[in-house]
Amino acid sequence: MEVHSAQSKAIPPHLHPPEIVRTTAYEDVGMLKVANWIKPWDFEERLDAGIVGVPLAKSGGYWKGVFEAPNAIRDTFAWFCTYSPDFDVDIRDLVVRDIGDVEMHTTGIVLSQERILATLRELYLSFGCDFMPVIIGGDHSIVRPSVRAFREGRNETVGLIQLDAHDDLRQFTWGGPTSGTPFRGILEDHSVEGRNFVQIGLHGFGSSKTDLDYARDQGAHRMSMREVRKRGVENVMEAAIAYAGDGTQAIYVSLDIDILEGAFTPGTGSPEPGGMSPGDLLEAVYLLSCSPKVKALDLVCIDPLKDIRGLTVRMGCAIILTFLTGLYQRKRGGEG
Amino acid sequence: MTNIPFLRPPEVIRRSYSDDRPALAASNWITLWEQQAIDVGLVGVPLAKAARNYAGVDGAPNALRKLLREFTTYDIERDADLRSLRVSHLGDVELFATDVARSQAQVEESLTTIFAFQPRFLLVVLGGDQSVTYASFKALRRARQLRTGLVYFGSYYALRALPEDVGDSRPPRAAIPDDSALRALLEEGLLAGRNLAQIGLHGFWGSREEKLFAQAQSVSVVTARESQDSGIDRATTGALEVAGQATEAIYVAINLNVLDLPYAPASQDAQFGGLRASELLSAAYSLGLDPRVQAIDLVGIDAYRDQVGLTVDAACAVLLNFLAGVNARS
């Protein structure tokens, strides 16, 4: 990591401590609850992964309660442990901390998007890039500034894997940089080149051919949900890593929770029938996180205010922990 | 046909075809406006993004249109039928998804044309958040050039100082946050403090700074407790007197959060300690009856989280009681 002067280590002005600091008293011998494990970061400790909340909810066409997702996930970590029988590993040796939230402006939606870019970029530039950022949205509009900050903060070429029910490639004519537009924005910004952009899991009647043709003309890759079902998760993730990693130095994974079958995701803005099963999604996340090129994750469109019994929020927690499991195995295997 | 900028047809057209004659469902009574002469027009302004606490108030216009199916034009309390009043749905004002200031400007422009329309009619604005009052009141002033007073029912002052960091600050204008809506009207000189009457304030909200500002501007404030002590009719009459003092028109703004929380659990920023539903309905009738009242808005209805439908139901009742008052104007 490059050593910066003390001056450049200023905490970005719109980065606030986490709004919820959750611990739990219910912890058996030998058990470590995730809420007790992931503490607020002191901006000193060396990190393996850092969580940043980006609670922007106003970029969509109608009301969404996705601003509450970072807090809901923090709160729900009290129900999870660091050990998983699925992988028979305990990830407690990873240093994972809660960096806090980017502050959103009440009425300035584009201003909030600009703040996300400035804040994350400053975070990476000031505190180094050798940790895995885990960005919790927010609606999907946050991915454009987040990927750009990642690209500019790391000064590396970036590939992008999008797991999503919808293409989010819409044009800006209807309402500006809405939550339906971020991937068009990313391609226009050249944060990622089309040939390193992979869309996985698109399904349902929620996209337009015009927008998908635009991505195809940029050289982007697409594997619809039907294709995932036919080829299998492992095969598709291997292909995705190959496309996104072809000639790039880092891969950013953007995960919209609505890739899941709608029946499993009451807490999202546009639940779609015909989506991925939770088991397949966790496997996909694990396979991606095992790739040493994968260096960032965002998780968007979890709406705790529409959720039922916290199901969707819990899935969000499971995704983050499964992702960290792959990271742990990479570290244990000698990487980093 | 007059071109009305940013006005789109209603997203929901709800009618009833069950034969319940001689009753007339409110949904069938209210027609679609094709610029014919009417007494009352309803316009939706699904603007939700000026809110400090973002809520699903953009769902309210459609929810209200759908629920009108469950009411008829006959008012049992006053033994009156409203069906001869000509009421129409105008549609919704189109907004811009990622720019609140631009959305507020579009609302102002659209409503200005509507308020200027001849022959005139009384306008009911279905919000939306409290910032809709700012744009709508401003449009009324611009279109009709009348000195106008304002009667406001709500749980908070809406007099919070405008933020210095104004957000959508691209010139020529900044967005007005919901809880600064009335402050902005006073500071822009569109409304005189002595013609602003507030009723029903309650709960733990904002800061003392707003009260001191209200005092300095000679705003008339009657809290929920005070209005219950004096009686809602007396409070309403007093408010109309304040708003009508040396003015030529009165605008009424009702945030459903003025109600006590159990009556409107999905109203935006609801708190315990508000008015009873019967008090607000009585006030709505009195306001409708006053011929100086030229417009009313209903805001703060979070239709997406209104699980049992109480809040939208309360808003429909306020609307119909207001229209009953309008119908009884001599």
Side-chain angles (χ1 to χ4, degrees):
Chain A
M1 176 183 147
E2 195 185 339
V3 178
H4 293 270
S5 67
Q7 189 62 36
S8 76
K9 279 214 163 194
I11 296 170
H14 293 294
L15 185 63
H16 286 285
E19 286 192 332
I20 287 186
V21 179
R22 180 70 151 99
T23 57
T24 174
Y26 173 43
E27 196 172 73
D28 207 349
V29 175
M31 174 190 281
L32 177 59
K33 284 284 174 61
V34 174
N36 294 341
W37 170 51
I38 302 180
K39 300 181 174 75
W41 191 36
D42 61 3
F43 292 87
E44 296 286 342
E45 196 177 6
R46 185 199 60 79
L47 287 182
D48 292 313
I51 290 172
V52 183
V54 183
L56 178 60
K58 290 181 174 176
S59 305
Y62 55 93
W63 177 77
K64 296 179 187 117
V66 294
F67 54 84
E68 205 49 37
N71 286 340
I73 285 174
R74 288 172 178 126
D75 199 25
T76 308
F77 273 150
W79 302 96
F80 289 83
C81 305
T82 55
Y83 173 77
S84 157
D86 268 330
F87 303 97
D88 192 26
V89 295
D90 192 315
I91 58 175
R92 70 173 75 189
D93 290 339
L94 284 177
V95 181
V96 183
R97 296 293 177 258
D98 193 339
I99 297 177
D101 290 321
V102 181
E103 184 190 0
M104 295 297 110
H105 191 278
T106 298
T107 55
I109 298 165
V110 173
L111 181 72
S112 292
Q113 293 172 350
E114 289 165 2
R115 269 188 195 172
I116 296 166
L117 170 61
T119 303
L120 294 179
R121 183 171 52 200
E122 210 168 317
L123 176 73
Y124 300 141
L125 289 173
S126 298
F127 294 92
C129 297
D130 57 349
F131 68 92
M132 176 79 77
V134 175
I135 311 288
I136 305 175
D139 61 46
H140 222 152
S141 77
I142 71 154
V143 66
R144 180 181 183 181
S146 176
V147 167
R148 186 169 158 198
F150 181 74
R151 159 114 183 76
E152 295 177 0
R154 295 188 74 90
N155 198 23
E156 284 183 339
T157 50
V158 177
L160 175 61
I161 298 176
Q162 173 196 3
L163 299 158
D164 202 334
H166 310 103
D167 61 87
D168 289 355
L169 283 163
R170 285 188 206 145
Q171 300 164 62
F172 305 104
T173 41
W174 189 89
T178 67
S179 54
T181 64
F183 295 98
R184 182 179 291 261
I186 286 167
L187 294 174
E188 286 192 3
D189 291 344
H190 292 283
S191 299
V192 173
E193 296 309 319
R195 65 189 174 83
N196 298 122
F197 174 41
V198 190
Q199 299 187 293
I200 300 174
L202 273 56
H203 65 278
F205 289 77
S207 310
S208 93
K209 188 169 187 316
T210 317
D211 296 337
L212 290 174
D213 286 349
Y214 162 79
R216 187 202 55 207
D217 293 345
Q218 305 278 316
H221 308 271
R222 179 169 93 235
M223 290 173 272
S224 72
M225 187 57 74
R226 281 188 74 212
E227 189 172 343
V228 176
R229 268 194 285 271
K230 282 179 186 160
R231 291 171 58 173
V233 165
E234 197 168 340
N235 177 291
V236 164
M237 295 307 141
E238 256 174 42
I241 291 166
Y243 291 137
D246 182 18
T248 61
Q249 295 159 292
I251 295 175
Y252 181 114
V253 176
S254 180
L255 199 165
D256 187 324
I257 199 75
D258 69 20
I259 189 177
L260 279 173
E261 164 58 37
F264 297 117
T265 40
T268 194
S270 312
E272 294 280 357
M276 202 178 260
S277 75
D280 278 354
L281 181 56
L282 292 177
E283 187 64 20
V285 165
Y286 176 70
L287 292 169
L288 292 173
S289 66
C290 286
S291 163
K293 263 202 183 162
V294 169
K295 294 175 183 173
L297 171 72
D298 73 39
L299 179 55
V300 299
C301 295
I302 293 175
D303 185 342
L305 302 183
K306 292 198 188 106
D307 208 6
I308 296 172
R309 292 208 58 211
L311 281 180
T312 316
V313 173
R314 282 183 185 229
M315 185 64 195
C317 293
I319 287 166
I320 292 169
L321 296 173
T322 304
F323 188 80
L324 293 175
T325 300
L327 178 66
Y328 173 78
Q329 297 195 328
R330 275 154 63 176
K331 300 264 174 192
R332 196 174 60 174
E335 183 216 326
Chain B
M1 295 278 277
T2 306
N3 172 44
I4 298 174
F6 305 113
L7 186 68
R8 299 170 57 94
E11 286 191 329
V12 172
I13 298 172
R14 176 69 164 97
R15 294 184 64 81
S16 164
Y17 292 106
S18 59
D19 183 9
D20 45 5
R21 283 172 294 179
L24 174 62
S27 55
N28 293 15
W29 160 55
I30 302 176
T31 56
L32 267 181
W33 191 50
E34 287 163 332
Q35 305 208 350
Q36 74 276 25
I38 51 175
D39 301 308
V40 181
L42 310 180
V43 66
V45 181
L47 172 60
K49 293 177 180 176
R52 211 167 287 281
N53 297 318
Y54 189 33
V57 295
D58 50 327
N62 285 343
L64 284 158
R65 290 175 185 126
K66 286 189 255 189
L67 198 68
L68 284 168
R69 156 74 186 93
E70 300 188 8
F71 298 83
T72 76
T73 56
Y74 178 65
D75 176 4
I76 291 177
E77 289 284 3
R78 293 143 196 130
D79 187 24
D81 197 306
L82 313 185
R83 68 175 74 195
S84 61
L85 199 65
R86 298 168 299 171
V87 184
S88 285
H89 288 296
L90 274 55
D92 287 312
V93 178
E94 186 183 344
L95 308 172
F96 194 83
T98 56
D99 191 334
V100 177
R102 181 169 163 182
S103 296
Q104 289 172 343
Q106 290 181 187
V107 174
E108 186 189 322
E109 196 179 334
S110 188
L111 297 191
T112 299
T113 310
I114 292 170
F115 278 124
F117 190 84
Q118 296 293 338
R120 266 188 197 172
F121 51 85
L122 194 152
L123 190 65
V124 178
V125 180
L126 309 173
D129 63 41
Q130 192 68 65
S131 81
V132 169
T133 301
Y134 167 79
S136 174
F137 185 91
K138 202 170 171 185
L140 175 65
R141 290 279 279 120
R142 266 181 61 192
R144 298 190 179 166
Q145 300 287 322
L146 301 171
R147 286 191 306 276
T148 308
L150 196 157
V151 176
Y152 162 87
F153 285 74
S155 72
Y156 54 70
Y157 284 93
L159 293 173
R160 185 168 170 147
L162 287 156
E164 283 174 29
D165 169 15
V166 287
D168 286 336
S169 57
R170 278 81 174 169
R173 58 181 285 162
I176 306 297
D178 59 345
D179 54 0
S180 300
L182 305 184
R183 176 82 163 236
L185 291 177
L186 293 173
E187 288 192 352
E188 290 183 29
L190 295 161
L191 171 66
R194 64 178 182 282
N195 293 126
L196 170 58
Q198 302 191 302
I199 296 183
L201 280 62
H202 66 276
F204 289 77
W205 263 118
S207 70
R208 192 145 191 274
E209 190 268 345
E210 291 183 73
K211 185 204 161 79
L212 296 176
F213 179 81
Q215 273 178 343
Q217 299 280 322
S218 307
V219 173
S220 155
V221 178
V222 177
T223 67
R225 277 187 63 201
E226 286 166 352
S227 79
Q228 282 165 342
D229 290 347
S230 68
I232 192 69
D233 290 338
R234 198 165 150 195
T236 308
T237 308
L240 286 165
E241 218 163 89
V242 166
Q245 185 70 43
T247 64
E248 301 150 296
I250 294 175
Y251 182 103
V252 175
I254 297 184
N255 191 321
L256 267 285
N257 68 18
V258 76
L259 285 173
D260 208 359
L261 195 147
Y263 294 109
S267 62
Q268 188 167 25
D269 302 327
Q271 292 206 4
F272 275 97
L275 302 185
R276 289 187 292 274
S278 56
E279 292 174 310
L280 184 59
L281 299 185
S282 180
Y285 182 82
S286 307
L287 296 164
L289 195 56
D290 193 311
R292 295 170 293 179
V293 171
Q294 299 194 2
I296 181 173
D297 67 47
L298 298 175
V299 304
I301 304 151
D302 184 344
Y304 291 132
R305 277 186 287 180
D306 197 20
Q307 293 188 358
V308 200
L310 282 178
T311 313
V312 176
D313 222 314
C316 280
V318 170
L319 171 65
L320 291 171
N321 276 271
F322 177 80
L323 294 179
V326 173
N327 186 53
R329 286 183 189 182
S330 48

